[in-house]
Amino acid sequence: MAEAKPATVRQPRFRSAVTETRPARYMLMAIAFLFLGIFLVLPLVVVFIEAFQKGTGAFVDALIDPDAMAAIRLTLLVAAISVPANLVFGITAAWAIAKFEFKGKAFLITLIDLPFSVSPVISGLVYVLLFGAGSLLGPWLKAHGVEILFAVPGIVLATVFVTFPFVARELIPLMQEQGTGDEEAAISLGASGWQTFWFVTLPNIKWGLLYGVLLCNARAMGEFGAVSVVSGHIRGLTNTMPLHVEILYNEYNAVGAFAVASLLAGLALVTLVLKTLLEIRYGAEIAATRGH
Amino acid sequence: MTSVPASAGWRFKAPSVIPGFGLTLGFSLAYLTLIILIPLSGLVWRTASLGWTDFWTIAFDRRTLKALEISFGTALIAAAVNVVFGTIVAWVLVRYNFPGRRIVDAMVDLPFALPTAVAGIALTTLYAPNGWIGALLAPLGIKVAYTPLGIIIALVFIGLPFVVRTVQPIMEEIDKGVEEVAATLGATRFQTVWRVLFPGLSPAILTGFALAFARGVGEYGSVIFIAGNLPYVSEIAPLLIVIRLEEYDYAAATAIATIMLTLSFAMLLFINLVQAWSRKRYG
């Protein structure tokens, strides 16, 4: 190089003024990749390696175990109740907040975000205090044979609590951005309120809605702390998948624990892929609320 | 808006032709009250009925104080680590083009999507003395799993996306003209980044730090596997709540929860103030 163009050797090479030098760039990239590799990729890889450590047979055996199957069923059931519940809430809250101007709106939005700043353990604890033996409701529930704590209703309630804001906080900024013009036009052309929502608003928000549901579902199926407090850990009855992972792990059944964990990790990967596809394909229609 | 000119006087809601306000707001408030507000006020009510002396006795119990110190201390360190590396990751994702950038970008959200218990057992397996990383560190005399260092590792994992996702959009909005001006005026690249770009990013970095910190303080699932859970050494506050609950000591569980909630809300307030301040300062 130097021999071919001796005249240019002394001249500083052209370099863009708005980027770093090449070595600095490579160093920053190396730091970032190393950090992500150690903290994100390795944990994910280790889950699948441990799950298949003793071969596919042991992996399958761990999953068709009756307690594991019961845990999978319970997790699906809990998600099937809590996600639609928060979906309905998310839509109604977003409709009220985005389509109308009223006093105290900012405060209401703060309240909706509240569960995000509460430790999962505390989210479970509040239901124990509400329905537990020492509470006001506890004795009454017991007398009437209603089981909430250490049973499925308690698990559902705790899951609803922790996944409460997901759909709403996705829809509120999106619908605020879209304004009220479309709905006003529909109403003035004679559409009913329901028709307006179904044929005008819903098509506008469907991708954002799906995005919110996706995140809500991932958290609902994976929640550990809140559910752990209210579940009572009864095998085959009140154990969700994450709780089952804990029990197996504490029994030194690594293959069993990681087999169930690999299903949850698979769910996380599917969630990430769908989320990324939605962002690429419908980025503008999901709005710039990529926070959580 | 097609609203009629507002008549004088206070009104709760601006007039609108769109129907459904009463129904949707009513349902939202009822649901919010039942699921969030009543249970949370139950916690406050229980604490209030404890009385000051009982509350102070529990709050200043040595084990409680130590657990709170461990929770807040490790969360603080982990958030600081995430500020450094999260900002670098965000910078690399925003400024550099490399194959697979989208995949790396998507991977950053893994801690949001991966159930905490799964993260917990995976990290413990990696950092245990016979694990892939633990075995490398053991000859150096560094023990990670079953020590406070393990808690920090778990909280770094959990908090990373909070910093990256808060800083990234602000980095994307940086006007390159500013950097060109700085370079033209003779600033070195380092000066440009440090004295021109960084001040504009600092509110976002601070917000990301606070979010990661707040999340770390309350984190339970990923920590309890790797922490070893030794009282006074590696026992976090959320775990102590669970232990007190299992002992049917509801008073203690409630008191610790109230302290944690109060501190978290103080954090939340702080985040909002920072954001308000940065909006005023940087528009």
Side-chain angles (χ1 to χ4, degrees):
Chain A
M1 283 291 282
E3 287 158 352
K5 287 193 260 173
T8 59
V9 144
R10 302 248 165 132
Q11 275 181 3
R13 226 185 321 158
F14 170 75
R15 181 171 73 78
S16 164
V18 287
T19 190
E20 290 73 47
T21 58
R22 191 177 288 258
R25 260 196 332 253
Y26 284 155
M27 204 178 73
L28 285 175
M29 281 167 80
I31 294 172
F33 293 152
L34 197 68
F35 183 79
L36 293 178
I38 290 174
F39 275 94
L40 299 184
V41 179
L42 274 186
L44 195 60
V45 171
V46 91
V47 169
F48 291 99
I49 288 191
E50 290 287 323
F52 289 99
Q53 195 187 26
K54 298 218 170 91
T56 323
F59 174 79
V60 174
D61 284 346
L63 292 183
I64 57 172
D65 169 77
D67 288 343
M69 290 302 280
I72 295 171
R73 269 197 302 273
L74 181 59
T75 292
L76 293 176
L77 174 71
V78 169
I81 300 170
S82 48
V83 174
N86 283 336
L87 172 68
V88 172
F89 164 74
I91 293 174
T92 56
W95 182 270
I97 288 172
K99 302 297 175 193
F100 302 95
E101 288 305 322
F102 59 92
K103 300 275 192 295
K105 195 194 266 194
F107 182 61
L108 181 59
I109 296 177
T110 310
L111 284 182
I112 291 174
D113 271 346
L114 202 59
F116 275 152
S117 48
V118 175
S119 168
V121 168
I122 299 177
S123 314
L125 170 74
V126 293
Y127 288 108
V128 175
L129 295 180
L130 201 61
F131 299 117
S135 69
L136 281 176
L137 286 172
W140 186 88
L141 290 172
K142 202 169 178 188
H144 290 74
V146 184
E147 282 191 333
I148 293 184
L149 276 189
F150 315 125
V152 177
I155 298 175
V156 171
L157 278 174
T159 307
V160 169
F161 187 107
V162 292
T163 58
F164 185 85
F166 279 96
V167 178
R169 73 175 296 155
E170 207 57 56
L171 287 185
I172 291 168
L174 177 64
M175 285 169 70
Q176 276 177 330
E177 211 174 78
Q178 288 171 348
T180 53
D182 289 2
E183 283 78 11
E184 279 161 4
I187 297 288
S188 61
L189 290 172
S192 72
W194 179 247
Q195 284 173 322
T196 306
F197 171 72
W198 194 253
F199 296 111
V200 177
T201 310
L202 194 60
N204 279 339
I205 61 169
K206 60 176 186 271
W207 298 115
L209 195 67
L210 190 62
Y211 192 83
V213 165
L214 199 64
L215 301 184
C216 184
N217 180 63
R219 182 71 193 268
M221 290 191 170
E223 178 51 29
F224 179 75
V227 169
S228 165
V229 172
V230 295
S231 124
H233 305 271
I234 307 163
R235 255 177 211 252
L237 279 179
T238 64
N239 254 350
T240 61
M241 286 166 79
L243 297 180
H244 195 59
V245 168
E246 183 199 18
I247 289 193
L248 294 176
Y249 186 81
N250 287 341
E251 288 171 349
Y252 302 102
N253 181 352
V255 171
F258 278 102
V260 180
S262 72
L263 289 187
L264 290 170
L267 170 79
L269 285 179
V270 170
T271 303
L272 285 185
V273 168
L274 290 177
K275 178 176 170 301
T276 309
L277 289 179
L278 279 176
E279 282 165 5
I280 294 175
R281 186 95 177 67
Y282 303 103
E285 291 158 69
I286 310 176
T289 51
R290 297 250 222 101
H292 302 280
Chain B
M1 290 288 278
T2 53
S3 54
V4 244
S7 52
W10 189 90
R11 46 167 88 231
F12 170 61
K13 164 186 167 285
S16 165
V17 294
I18 301 172
F21 178 71
L23 180 72
T24 54
L25 187 72
F27 176 80
S28 304
L29 288 179
Y31 189 79
L32 177 79
T33 309
L34 280 176
I35 300 288
I36 309 291
L37 298 184
I38 290 180
L40 272 183
S41 46
L43 180 75
V44 176
W45 182 76
R46 274 291 185 109
T47 312
S49 63
L50 269 181
W52 278 112
T53 33
D54 283 352
F55 183 78
W56 285 123
T57 318
I58 299 162
F60 286 99
D61 171 58
R62 215 165 75 78
R63 191 166 165 191
T64 308
L65 280 180
K66 201 69 202 175
L68 286 169
E69 185 193 317
I70 292 165
S71 273
F72 281 85
T74 51
L76 200 69
I77 297 171
V81 171
N82 273 328
V83 158
V84 175
F85 290 99
T87 307
I88 293 177
V89 168
W91 184 260
V92 167
L93 286 174
V94 170
R95 284 307 178 95
Y96 304 155
N97 242 322
F98 50 89
R101 202 181 59 88
R102 269 237 92 107
I103 297 170
V104 177
D105 190 69
M107 276 296 289
V108 169
D109 278 335
L110 181 72
F112 283 152
L114 193 70
T116 52
V118 177
I121 63 168
L123 290 171
T124 311
T125 307
L126 282 176
Y127 288 93
N130 59 354
W132 294 352
I133 301 175
L136 293 177
L137 297 174
L140 307 171
I142 303 171
K143 261 195 83 183
V144 178
Y146 321 122
T147 70
L149 201 55
I151 305 178
I152 295 172
I153 296 283
L155 295 184
V156 168
F157 173 85
I158 291 297
L160 175 70
F162 288 94
V163 176
V164 178
R165 294 299 182 231
T166 317
V167 176
Q168 203 176 9
I170 310 296
M171 274 182 184
E172 274 163 3
E173 278 171 20
I174 292 176
D175 176 14
K176 285 218 172 171
V178 178
E179 288 166 71
E180 278 160 11
V181 169
T184 320
L185 293 173
T188 65
R189 184 61 191 162
F190 180 77
Q191 282 173 323
T192 308
V193 170
W194 185 247
R195 305 191 49 177
V196 178
L197 300 184
F198 189 74
L201 291 173
S202 55
I205 294 175
L206 204 57
T207 307
F209 172 84
L211 288 172
F213 177 60
R215 173 69 202 264
V217 167
E219 179 56 23
Y220 176 72
S222 60
V223 172
I224 55 161
F225 295 97
I226 201 169
N229 306 327
L230 223 61
Y232 304 104
V233 177
S234 57
E235 182 180 70
I236 53 167
L239 177 67
L240 192 57
I241 294 178
V242 172
I243 291 174
R244 294 303 185 218
L245 265 183
E246 280 166 0
E247 293 167 350
Y248 296 103
D249 188 352
Y250 286 13
T254 309
I256 304 168
T258 305
I259 298 169
M260 287 189 63
L261 268 187
T262 312
L263 292 169
S264 309
F265 289 155
M267 287 294 306
L268 202 70
L269 192 69
F270 172 75
I271 297 172
N272 285 336
L273 286 178
V274 167
Q275 278 171 338
W277 170 78
S278 73
R279 261 198 301 275
K280 231 165 80 185
R281 180 130 194 242
Y282 299 98

